[in-house]
Amino acid sequence: MWYRNRTYILREEVIEDETRYFISFKDGQGISYELNVSYDFYMALWRFADWSLIIGN
């Protein structure tokens, strides 16, 4: 599942009943990164992205 919002992408990956969470982004020099993050960190960013869509930022 992908959530695209401005400067980063949130992604969930399920393999053999194990869910992993990722954030992908580019830094100021255009270098791409993909980080495997905890569920709590992923959900905090997801809530922030969802709220940004609601208020239109």
Side-chain angles (χ1 to χ4, degrees):
M1 181 180 305
W2 289 80
Y3 300 100
R4 185 184 258 319
N5 185 12
R6 304 199 197 309
T7 58
Y8 58 89
I9 297 172
L10 299 176
R11 179 170 65 90
E12 296 175 31
E13 181 179 282
V14 179
I15 298 175
E16 296 180 10
D17 297 328
E18 182 181 349
T19 305
R20 296 171 59 190
Y21 303 93
F22 298 90
I23 178 173
S24 301
F25 60 94
K26 288 185 179 182
D27 68 10
Q29 297 177 341
I31 300 171
S32 296
Y33 297 91
E34 182 172 71
L35 304 175
N36 186 352
V37 297
S38 70
Y39 172 79
D40 292 334
F41 187 78
Y42 175 87
M43 289 308 296
L45 285 173
W46 188 87
R47 287 184 194 112
F48 176 75
D50 190 41
W51 180 253
S52 294
L53 291 173
I54 292 169
I55 61 173
N57 286 332

